Amino acid sequence: MPLEIITIPCLTDNYAFLLHAPGSGLTALVDAPEAAPIKAELEKRGWTLDFILITHHHWDHVDAVEELRDAYDATVIGAQADEHRLPALDVKVKDGTTFSLSREDVHVLDVSGHTIGHIAYYLPGSKSIFTADSLMALGCGRLFEGTPEQMHASLTKLAALPANTIVYSGHEYTQSNGQFALTVDPENEALHARVKAVDEARNRGEPTVPSKLSEELQTNPYLRAHTKGVQQAVGMEGADPVDVFTEVRRRKDSF
Ligand code: ZN
Ligand code: FE
């Protein structure tokens, strides 16, 4: 039975996610930006917290880990490579590690780029991936630590997952990502339609996360550096997709 997944808005534009196994009652959290809304959601549903899964070391993803660990006696899981700058880890994982939540397998993927040591959690049974600040809705995280080559490799890995995978990313940046995407993929009809749908959703106060990998493949410019549309728009027709990606990411930084 797939996990029940709850999206929790935190801080100004962060998301945390609760994963709940209906059979066993086991509950896990992906990222801990802020304790109060997460505690409120757990209370409302009568759930406790068994695991906290950390994606990367930035404060807006880990700030509430200690408070939640103490409150629920939760087991904290994160990247071994980032052990020195994460809250104390009970379970250390790396690219290729598989563990289980209730009866469901969780695969750990290294998706370095935004930071080195950023990981994603892939749950094929629930057709879901938790990408935080690597692959985002219509975007990707800013390159604070990694190189464009690293981010491109991470995104290429994510793009190869089944297209019906649901992408749970870490921020509500989709509207501004969409405005930028139009400048580097202006002829993309699917992108225009998505930007319109995103604007409408935001006007109704609805989140635009999660999204489907299939729609990211069609509209996310960082997954489209190999396409003629993006290459023409940035004046790099026939160039190496890594170089095109580098240029697209560079333009976003000053957009
Ligand atoms: Zn971050
Ligand atoms: Fe973040």
Side-chain angles (χ1 to χ4, degrees):
M1 203 188 315
L3 298 173
E4 191 177 342
I5 300 174
I6 311 294
T7 301
I8 308 175
C10 294
L11 304 172
T12 49
D13 56 25
N14 275 77
Y15 288 119
F17 304 99
L18 286 176
L19 290 59
H20 180 76
S24 65
L26 184 138
T27 304
L29 171 74
V30 177
D31 283 346
E34 187 184 12
I38 295 166
K39 282 180 161 175
E41 195 67 42
L42 287 164
E43 248 163 65
K44 186 176 106 186
R45 294 171 185 276
W47 298 348
T48 183
L49 193 58
D50 302 288
F51 294 98
I52 301 172
L53 280 52
I54 300 173
T55 60
H56 68 295
H57 72 91
H58 285 156
W59 73 271
D60 62 314
H61 299 258
V62 301
D63 211 36
V65 167
E66 293 302 354
E67 186 177 340
L68 294 168
R69 184 210 310 262
D70 290 350
Y72 300 98
D73 198 21
T75 298
V76 178
I77 302 176
Q80 181 167 33
D82 266 352
E83 201 184 349
H84 60 289
R85 55 182 183 174
L86 290 176
L89 299 177
D90 301 306
V91 180
K92 297 159 200 168
V93 297
K94 58 185 183 195
D95 189 65
T97 301
T98 300
F99 59 95
S100 51
L101 280 182
S102 198
R103 285 199 195 127
E104 179 136 10
D105 283 345
V106 182
H107 297 269
V108 177
L109 280 76
D110 179 281
V111 289
S112 289
H114 175 68
T115 65
I116 304 291
H118 192 312
I119 55 177
Y121 296 95
Y122 175 46
L123 287 77
S126 291
K127 298 180 172 55
S128 298
I129 186 151
F130 296 84
T131 57
D133 300 355
S134 57
L135 176 62
M136 306 177 93
L138 280 176
C140 75
R142 190 182 262 267
L143 301 177
F144 285 112
E145 297 175 9
T147 61
E149 289 77 9
Q150 282 171 318
M151 181 61 105
H152 185 262
S154 295
L155 296 182
T156 301
K157 192 161 30 171
L158 295 171
L161 295 174
N164 63 354
T165 304
I166 309 292
V167 180
Y168 293 83
S169 51
H171 290 269
E172 184 59 57
Y173 292 162
T174 320
Q175 230 174 348
S176 57
N177 284 343
Q179 289 312 308
F180 170 73
L182 289 171
T183 68
V184 292
D185 202 3
E187 310 291 326
N188 183 340
E189 291 305 324
L191 174 60
H192 283 275
R194 186 173 176 195
V195 166
K196 187 164 174 278
V198 163
D199 286 344
E200 287 165 2
R202 294 307 293 151
N203 287 340
R204 293 191 300 265
E206 293 169 9
T208 63
V209 171
S211 57
K212 295 192 196 82
L213 183 58
S214 56
E215 58 183 338
E216 299 305 333
L217 292 168
Q218 282 180 8
T219 56
N220 186 318
Y222 305 96
L223 299 183
R224 299 178 57 76
H226 61 284
T227 65
K228 204 172 167 187
V230 171
Q231 296 195 351
Q232 272 178 344
V234 299
M236 296 177 70
E237 224 178 320
D240 185 328
V242 177
D243 296 332
V244 178
F245 171 84
T246 303
E247 173 60 13
V248 170
R249 186 58 248 184
R250 189 194 66 75
R251 289 187 182 203
K252 174 64 163 62
D253 291 339
S254 55
F255 180 70

PDB file of all heavy atoms in Angstrom, residues 3-36:
ATOM      1  N   LEU A   3       2.423   4.935   0.581  1.00  0.00           N
ATOM      2  CA  LEU A   3       2.390   5.803   1.760  1.00  0.00           C
ATOM      3  C   LEU A   3       1.464   6.988   1.508  1.00  0.00           C
ATOM      4  O   LEU A   3       1.319   7.454   0.379  1.00  0.00           O
ATOM      5  CB  LEU A   3       3.807   6.318   2.052  1.00  0.00           C
ATOM      6  CG  LEU A   3       4.858   5.253   2.387  1.00  0.00           C
ATOM      7  CD1 LEU A   3       6.227   5.899   2.480  1.00  0.00           C
ATOM      8  CD2 LEU A   3       4.514   4.536   3.677  1.00  0.00           C
ATOM      9  N   GLU A   4       0.884   7.482   2.569  1.00  0.00           N
ATOM     10  CA  GLU A   4       0.123   8.731   2.508  1.00  0.00           C
ATOM     11  C   GLU A   4       1.152   9.862   2.672  1.00  0.00           C
ATOM     12  O   GLU A   4       1.975   9.818   3.588  1.00  0.00           O
ATOM     13  CB  GLU A   4      -0.886   8.727   3.654  1.00  0.00           C
ATOM     14  CG  GLU A   4      -1.918   9.815   3.599  1.00  0.00           C
ATOM     15  CD  GLU A   4      -2.924   9.690   4.751  1.00  0.00           C
ATOM     16  OE1 GLU A   4      -3.026   8.603   5.362  1.00  0.00           O
ATOM     17  OE2 GLU A   4      -3.591  10.684   5.034  1.00  0.00           O
ATOM     18  N   ILE A   5       1.114  10.835   1.781  1.00  0.00           N
ATOM     19  CA  ILE A   5       2.125  11.899   1.828  1.00  0.00           C
ATOM     20  C   ILE A   5       1.445  13.251   1.999  1.00  0.00           C
ATOM     21  O   ILE A   5       0.551  13.612   1.228  1.00  0.00           O
ATOM     22  CB  ILE A   5       2.999  11.877   0.555  1.00  0.00           C
ATOM     23  CG1 ILE A   5       3.718  10.519   0.451  1.00  0.00           C
ATOM     24  CG2 ILE A   5       4.029  13.027   0.593  1.00  0.00           C
ATOM     25  CD1 ILE A   5       4.504  10.306  -0.823  1.00  0.00           C
ATOM     26  N   ILE A   6       1.849  13.983   3.040  1.00  0.00           N
ATOM     27  CA  ILE A   6       1.239  15.265   3.379  1.00  0.00           C
ATOM     28  C   ILE A   6       2.263  16.381   3.177  1.00  0.00           C
ATOM     29  O   ILE A   6       3.390  16.290   3.665  1.00  0.00           O
ATOM     30  CB  ILE A   6       0.800  15.284   4.868  1.00  0.00           C
ATOM     31  CG1 ILE A   6      -0.001  14.040   5.240  1.00  0.00           C
ATOM     32  CG2 ILE A   6       0.054  16.588   5.193  1.00  0.00           C
ATOM     33  CD1 ILE A   6      -1.328  13.913   4.564  1.00  0.00           C
ATOM     34  N   THR A   7       1.875  17.423   2.452  1.00  0.00           N
ATOM     35  CA  THR A   7       2.746  18.578   2.230  1.00  0.00           C
ATOM     36  C   THR A   7       2.466  19.632   3.304  1.00  0.00           C
ATOM     37  O   THR A   7       1.312  20.014   3.514  1.00  0.00           O
ATOM     38  CB  THR A   7       2.461  19.176   0.834  1.00  0.00           C
ATOM     39  OG1 THR A   7       2.704  18.168  -0.154  1.00  0.00           O
ATOM     40  CG2 THR A   7       3.357  20.378   0.553  1.00  0.00           C
ATOM     41  N   ILE A   8       3.523  20.097   3.972  1.00  0.00           N
ATOM     42  CA  ILE A   8       3.359  21.100   5.037  1.00  0.00           C
ATOM     43  C   ILE A   8       4.134  22.370   4.694  1.00  0.00           C
ATOM     44  O   ILE A   8       5.372  22.353   4.673  1.00  0.00           O
ATOM     45  CB  ILE A   8       3.878  20.566   6.386  1.00  0.00           C
ATOM     46  CG1 ILE A   8       3.253  19.202   6.707  1.00  0.00           C
ATOM     47  CG2 ILE A   8       3.587  21.573   7.514  1.00  0.00           C
ATOM     48  CD1 ILE A   8       3.808  18.563   7.964  1.00  0.00           C
ATOM     49  N   PRO A   9       3.446  23.477   4.422  1.00  0.00           N
ATOM     50  CA  PRO A   9       4.155  24.743   4.215  1.00  0.00           C
ATOM     51  C   PRO A   9       4.828  25.186   5.515  1.00  0.00           C
ATOM     52  O   PRO A   9       4.224  25.091   6.585  1.00  0.00           O
ATOM     53  CB  PRO A   9       3.046  25.726   3.822  1.00  0.00           C
ATOM     54  CG  PRO A   9       1.865  24.867   3.431  1.00  0.00           C
ATOM     55  CD  PRO A   9       1.982  23.624   4.253  1.00  0.00           C
ATOM     56  N   CYS A  10       6.083  25.635   5.411  1.00  0.00           N
ATOM     57  CA  CYS A  10       6.840  26.108   6.579  1.00  0.00           C
ATOM     58  C   CYS A  10       7.536  27.419   6.216  1.00  0.00           C
ATOM     59  O   CYS A  10       7.785  27.685   5.028  1.00  0.00           O
ATOM     60  CB  CYS A  10       7.919  25.109   6.974  1.00  0.00           C
ATOM     61  SG  CYS A  10       7.296  23.526   7.591  1.00  0.00           S
ATOM     62  N   LEU A  11       7.890  28.189   7.251  1.00  0.00           N
ATOM     63  CA  LEU A  11       8.586  29.467   7.049  1.00  0.00           C
ATOM     64  C   LEU A  11       7.838  30.270   5.976  1.00  0.00           C
ATOM     65  O   LEU A  11       6.620  30.244   5.941  1.00  0.00           O
ATOM     66  CB  LEU A  11      10.065  29.228   6.690  1.00  0.00           C
ATOM     67  CG  LEU A  11      10.854  28.373   7.704  1.00  0.00           C
ATOM     68  CD1 LEU A  11      12.234  28.013   7.182  1.00  0.00           C
ATOM     69  CD2 LEU A  11      10.971  29.090   9.054  1.00  0.00           C
ATOM     70  N   THR A  12       8.558  30.965   5.070  1.00  0.00           N
ATOM     71  CA  THR A  12       7.816  31.732   4.068  1.00  0.00           C
ATOM     72  C   THR A  12       7.536  30.933   2.798  1.00  0.00           C
ATOM     73  O   THR A  12       6.465  31.047   2.214  1.00  0.00           O
ATOM     74  CB  THR A  12       8.546  33.038   3.669  1.00  0.00           C
ATOM     75  OG1 THR A  12       9.897  32.700   3.376  1.00  0.00           O
ATOM     76  CG2 THR A  12       8.488  34.056   4.785  1.00  0.00           C
ATOM     77  N   ASP A  13       8.497  30.097   2.367  1.00  0.00           N
ATOM     78  CA  ASP A  13       8.281  29.380   1.108  1.00  0.00           C
ATOM     79  C   ASP A  13       8.900  27.985   1.106  1.00  0.00           C
ATOM     80  O   ASP A  13       9.218  27.462   0.049  1.00  0.00           O
ATOM     81  CB  ASP A  13       8.808  30.220  -0.066  1.00  0.00           C
ATOM     82  CG  ASP A  13      10.262  30.600   0.111  1.00  0.00           C
ATOM     83  OD1 ASP A  13      11.000  29.880   0.827  1.00  0.00           O
ATOM     84  OD2 ASP A  13      10.679  31.631  -0.447  1.00  0.00           O
ATOM     85  N   ASN A  14       9.098  27.411   2.296  1.00  0.00           N
ATOM     86  CA  ASN A  14       9.629  26.034   2.372  1.00  0.00           C
ATOM     87  C   ASN A  14       8.494  25.011   2.458  1.00  0.00           C
ATOM     88  O   ASN A  14       7.397  25.335   2.889  1.00  0.00           O
ATOM     89  CB  ASN A  14      10.489  25.846   3.624  1.00  0.00           C
ATOM     90  CG  ASN A  14      11.926  26.281   3.427  1.00  0.00           C
ATOM     91  OD1 ASN A  14      12.217  27.476   3.435  1.00  0.00           O
ATOM     92  ND2 ASN A  14      12.817  25.312   3.248  1.00  0.00           N
ATOM     93  N   TYR A  15       8.835  23.769   2.063  1.00  0.00           N
ATOM     94  CA  TYR A  15       7.921  22.659   2.302  1.00  0.00           C
ATOM     95  C   TYR A  15       8.618  21.551   3.080  1.00  0.00           C
ATOM     96  O   TYR A  15       9.795  21.244   2.840  1.00  0.00           O
ATOM     97  CB  TYR A  15       7.425  22.074   0.974  1.00  0.00           C
ATOM     98  CG  TYR A  15       6.448  22.973   0.250  1.00  0.00           C
ATOM     99  CD1 TYR A  15       6.741  23.456  -1.018  1.00  0.00           C
ATOM    100  CD2 TYR A  15       5.243  23.339   0.846  1.00  0.00           C
ATOM    101  CE1 TYR A  15       5.845  24.295  -1.684  1.00  0.00           C
ATOM    102  CE2 TYR A  15       4.353  24.172   0.186  1.00  0.00           C
ATOM    103  CZ  TYR A  15       4.658  24.642  -1.065  1.00  0.00           C
ATOM    104  OH  TYR A  15       3.773  25.473  -1.715  1.00  0.00           O
ATOM    105  N   ALA A  16       7.862  20.960   4.008  1.00  0.00           N
ATOM    106  CA  ALA A  16       8.263  19.708   4.646  1.00  0.00           C
ATOM    107  C   ALA A  16       7.190  18.685   4.274  1.00  0.00           C
ATOM    108  O   ALA A  16       6.078  19.063   3.869  1.00  0.00           O
ATOM    109  CB  ALA A  16       8.327  19.879   6.157  1.00  0.00           C
ATOM    110  N   PHE A  17       7.523  17.405   4.385  1.00  0.00           N
ATOM    111  CA  PHE A  17       6.584  16.360   3.977  1.00  0.00           C
ATOM    112  C   PHE A  17       6.504  15.265   5.026  1.00  0.00           C
ATOM    113  O   PHE A  17       7.538  14.832   5.534  1.00  0.00           O
ATOM    114  CB  PHE A  17       7.022  15.744   2.635  1.00  0.00           C
ATOM    115  CG  PHE A  17       7.184  16.766   1.543  1.00  0.00           C
ATOM    116  CD1 PHE A  17       8.444  17.255   1.222  1.00  0.00           C
ATOM    117  CD2 PHE A  17       6.077  17.272   0.885  1.00  0.00           C
ATOM    118  CE1 PHE A  17       8.603  18.216   0.241  1.00  0.00           C
ATOM    119  CE2 PHE A  17       6.224  18.235  -0.103  1.00  0.00           C
ATOM    120  CZ  PHE A  17       7.494  18.713  -0.421  1.00  0.00           C
ATOM    121  N   LEU A  18       5.294  14.838   5.326  1.00  0.00           N
ATOM    122  CA  LEU A  18       5.076  13.691   6.196  1.00  0.00           C
ATOM    123  C   LEU A  18       4.723  12.495   5.334  1.00  0.00           C
ATOM    124  O   LEU A  18       3.895  12.599   4.414  1.00  0.00           O
ATOM    125  CB  LEU A  18       3.937  13.962   7.176  1.00  0.00           C
ATOM    126  CG  LEU A  18       4.230  14.921   8.332  1.00  0.00           C
ATOM    127  CD1 LEU A  18       2.958  15.153   9.136  1.00  0.00           C
ATOM    128  CD2 LEU A  18       5.346  14.392   9.235  1.00  0.00           C
ATOM    129  N   LEU A  19       5.357  11.355   5.634  1.00  0.00           N
ATOM    130  CA  LEU A  19       5.083  10.090   4.948  1.00  0.00           C
ATOM    131  C   LEU A  19       4.521   9.145   5.987  1.00  0.00           C
ATOM    132  O   LEU A  19       5.193   8.884   6.998  1.00  0.00           O
ATOM    133  CB  LEU A  19       6.378   9.493   4.381  1.00  0.00           C
ATOM    134  CG  LEU A  19       7.063  10.160   3.199  1.00  0.00           C
ATOM    135  CD1 LEU A  19       7.451  11.594   3.481  1.00  0.00           C
ATOM    136  CD2 LEU A  19       8.313   9.373   2.829  1.00  0.00           C
ATOM    137  N   HIS A  20       3.334   8.658   5.739  1.00  0.00           N
ATOM    138  CA  HIS A  20       2.656   7.852   6.752  1.00  0.00           C
ATOM    139  C   HIS A  20       2.212   6.525   6.156  1.00  0.00           C
ATOM    140  O   HIS A  20       1.566   6.483   5.113  1.00  0.00           O
ATOM    141  CB  HIS A  20       1.447   8.635   7.278  1.00  0.00           C
ATOM    142  CG  HIS A  20       0.656   7.911   8.318  1.00  0.00           C
ATOM    143  ND1 HIS A  20       1.076   7.790   9.622  1.00  0.00           N
ATOM    144  CD2 HIS A  20      -0.541   7.262   8.258  1.00  0.00           C
ATOM    145  CE1 HIS A  20       0.175   7.107  10.315  1.00  0.00           C
ATOM    146  NE2 HIS A  20      -0.818   6.775   9.502  1.00  0.00           N
ATOM    147  N   ALA A  21       2.582   5.439   6.823  1.00  0.00           N
ATOM    148  CA  ALA A  21       2.155   4.104   6.381  1.00  0.00           C
ATOM    149  C   ALA A  21       0.852   3.759   7.083  1.00  0.00           C
ATOM    150  O   ALA A  21       0.836   3.581   8.298  1.00  0.00           O
ATOM    151  CB  ALA A  21       3.236   3.083   6.717  1.00  0.00           C
ATOM    152  N   PRO A  22      -0.237   3.663   6.319  1.00  0.00           N
ATOM    153  CA  PRO A  22      -1.549   3.454   6.936  1.00  0.00           C
ATOM    154  C   PRO A  22      -1.618   2.164   7.761  1.00  0.00           C
ATOM    155  O   PRO A  22      -2.255   2.138   8.804  1.00  0.00           O
ATOM    156  CB  PRO A  22      -2.505   3.381   5.741  1.00  0.00           C
ATOM    157  CG  PRO A  22      -1.766   3.972   4.594  1.00  0.00           C
ATOM    158  CD  PRO A  22      -0.319   3.766   4.855  1.00  0.00           C
ATOM    159  N   GLY A  23      -0.935   1.118   7.311  1.00  0.00           N
ATOM    160  CA  GLY A  23      -1.000  -0.148   8.041  1.00  0.00           C
ATOM    161  C   GLY A  23      -0.302  -0.105   9.386  1.00  0.00           C
ATOM    162  O   GLY A  23      -0.913  -0.296  10.437  1.00  0.00           O
ATOM    163  N   SER A  24       0.989   0.204   9.354  1.00  0.00           N
ATOM    164  CA  SER A  24       1.794   0.143  10.578  1.00  0.00           C
ATOM    165  C   SER A  24       1.675   1.401  11.430  1.00  0.00           C
ATOM    166  O   SER A  24       2.027   1.401  12.599  1.00  0.00           O
ATOM    167  CB  SER A  24       3.258  -0.063  10.210  1.00  0.00           C
ATOM    168  OG  SER A  24       3.724   1.078   9.502  1.00  0.00           O
ATOM    169  N   GLY A  25       1.211   2.491  10.838  1.00  0.00           N
ATOM    170  CA  GLY A  25       1.134   3.759  11.563  1.00  0.00           C
ATOM    171  C   GLY A  25       2.461   4.493  11.602  1.00  0.00           C
ATOM    172  O   GLY A  25       2.571   5.582  12.177  1.00  0.00           O
ATOM    173  N   LEU A  26       3.495   3.912  10.974  1.00  0.00           N
ATOM    174  CA  LEU A  26       4.810   4.539  10.981  1.00  0.00           C
ATOM    175  C   LEU A  26       4.811   5.850  10.183  1.00  0.00           C
ATOM    176  O   LEU A  26       4.203   5.930   9.116  1.00  0.00           O
ATOM    177  CB  LEU A  26       5.813   3.547  10.389  1.00  0.00           C
ATOM    178  CG  LEU A  26       7.273   3.936  10.384  1.00  0.00           C
ATOM    179  CD1 LEU A  26       8.108   2.728  10.788  1.00  0.00           C
ATOM    180  CD2 LEU A  26       7.670   4.421   9.012  1.00  0.00           C
ATOM    181  N   THR A  27       5.484   6.867  10.724  1.00  0.00           N
ATOM    182  CA  THR A  27       5.486   8.178  10.081  1.00  0.00           C
ATOM    183  C   THR A  27       6.909   8.721  10.001  1.00  0.00           C
ATOM    184  O   THR A  27       7.677   8.657  10.962  1.00  0.00           O
ATOM    185  CB  THR A  27       4.599   9.175  10.861  1.00  0.00           C
ATOM    186  OG1 THR A  27       3.287   8.634  10.982  1.00  0.00           O
ATOM    187  CG2 THR A  27       4.518  10.521  10.148  1.00  0.00           C
ATOM    188  N   ALA A  28       7.239   9.267   8.823  1.00  0.00           N
ATOM    189  CA  ALA A  28       8.541   9.889   8.617  1.00  0.00           C
ATOM    190  C   ALA A  28       8.334  11.314   8.121  1.00  0.00           C
ATOM    191  O   ALA A  28       7.324  11.627   7.485  1.00  0.00           O
ATOM    192  CB  ALA A  28       9.351   9.091   7.597  1.00  0.00           C
ATOM    193  N   LEU A  29       9.314  12.153   8.413  1.00  0.00           N
ATOM    194  CA  LEU A  29       9.299  13.539   7.965  1.00  0.00           C
ATOM    195  C   LEU A  29      10.471  13.732   7.021  1.00  0.00           C
ATOM    196  O   LEU A  29      11.571  13.248   7.296  1.00  0.00           O
ATOM    197  CB  LEU A  29       9.461  14.460   9.190  1.00  0.00           C
ATOM    198  CG  LEU A  29       9.692  15.946   8.924  1.00  0.00           C
ATOM    199  CD1 LEU A  29       8.390  16.610   8.467  1.00  0.00           C
ATOM    200  CD2 LEU A  29      10.216  16.640  10.180  1.00  0.00           C
ATOM    201  N   VAL A  30      10.258  14.441   5.908  1.00  0.00           N
ATOM    202  CA  VAL A  30      11.391  14.853   5.074  1.00  0.00           C
ATOM    203  C   VAL A  30      11.621  16.342   5.300  1.00  0.00           C
ATOM    204  O   VAL A  30      10.753  17.164   4.994  1.00  0.00           O
ATOM    205  CB  VAL A  30      11.155  14.572   3.581  1.00  0.00           C
ATOM    206  CG1 VAL A  30      12.337  15.087   2.755  1.00  0.00           C
ATOM    207  CG2 VAL A  30      10.957  13.082   3.331  1.00  0.00           C
ATOM    208  N   ASP A  31      12.734  16.657   5.867  1.00  0.00           N
ATOM    209  CA  ASP A  31      13.209  18.007   6.211  1.00  0.00           C
ATOM    210  C   ASP A  31      12.380  18.678   7.312  1.00  0.00           C
ATOM    211  O   ASP A  31      11.190  18.432   7.458  1.00  0.00           O
ATOM    212  CB  ASP A  31      13.315  18.901   4.973  1.00  0.00           C
ATOM    213  CG  ASP A  31      14.565  18.587   4.153  1.00  0.00           C
ATOM    214  OD1 ASP A  31      15.476  17.885   4.668  1.00  0.00           O
ATOM    215  OD2 ASP A  31      14.648  19.035   2.995  1.00  0.00           O
ATOM    216  N   ALA A  32      13.075  19.507   8.064  1.00  0.00           N
ATOM    217  CA  ALA A  32      12.490  20.101   9.271  1.00  0.00           C
ATOM    218  C   ALA A  32      12.781  21.597   9.319  1.00  0.00           C
ATOM    219  O   ALA A  32      13.591  22.065  10.116  1.00  0.00           O
ATOM    220  CB  ALA A  32      13.069  19.394  10.499  1.00  0.00           C
ATOM    221  N   PRO A  33      12.087  22.354   8.461  1.00  0.00           N
ATOM    222  CA  PRO A  33      12.359  23.803   8.435  1.00  0.00           C
ATOM    223  C   PRO A  33      11.877  24.522   9.700  1.00  0.00           C
ATOM    224  O   PRO A  33      12.482  25.499  10.120  1.00  0.00           O
ATOM    225  CB  PRO A  33      11.553  24.297   7.224  1.00  0.00           C
ATOM    226  CG  PRO A  33      11.208  23.074   6.431  1.00  0.00           C
ATOM    227  CD  PRO A  33      11.126  21.961   7.428  1.00  0.00           C
ATOM    228  N   GLU A  34      10.787  24.034  10.305  1.00  0.00           N
ATOM    229  CA  GLU A  34      10.117  24.773  11.380  1.00  0.00           C
ATOM    230  C   GLU A  34       9.242  23.803  12.166  1.00  0.00           C
ATOM    231  O   GLU A  34       8.458  23.065  11.573  1.00  0.00           O
ATOM    232  CB  GLU A  34       9.238  25.856  10.726  1.00  0.00           C
ATOM    233  CG  GLU A  34       8.606  26.821  11.661  1.00  0.00           C
ATOM    234  CD  GLU A  34       7.672  27.795  10.921  1.00  0.00           C
ATOM    235  OE1 GLU A  34       7.349  27.576   9.742  1.00  0.00           O
ATOM    236  OE2 GLU A  34       7.259  28.772  11.578  1.00  0.00           O
ATOM    237  N   ALA A  35       9.363  23.816  13.480  1.00  0.00           N
ATOM    238  CA  ALA A  35       8.679  22.784  14.288  1.00  0.00           C
ATOM    239  C   ALA A  35       7.167  22.964  14.358  1.00  0.00           C
ATOM    240  O   ALA A  35       6.416  21.987  14.234  1.00  0.00           O
ATOM    241  CB  ALA A  35       9.265  22.735  15.695  1.00  0.00           C
ATOM    242  N   ALA A  36       6.697  24.199  14.567  1.00  0.00           N
ATOM    243  CA  ALA A  36       5.279  24.401  14.910  1.00  0.00           C
ATOM    244  C   ALA A  36       4.297  23.820  13.875  1.00  0.00           C
ATOM    245  O   ALA A  36       3.399  23.055  14.250  1.00  0.00           O
ATOM    246  CB  ALA A  36       5.003  25.882  15.157  1.00  0.00           C
TER     247      ALA A  36
END
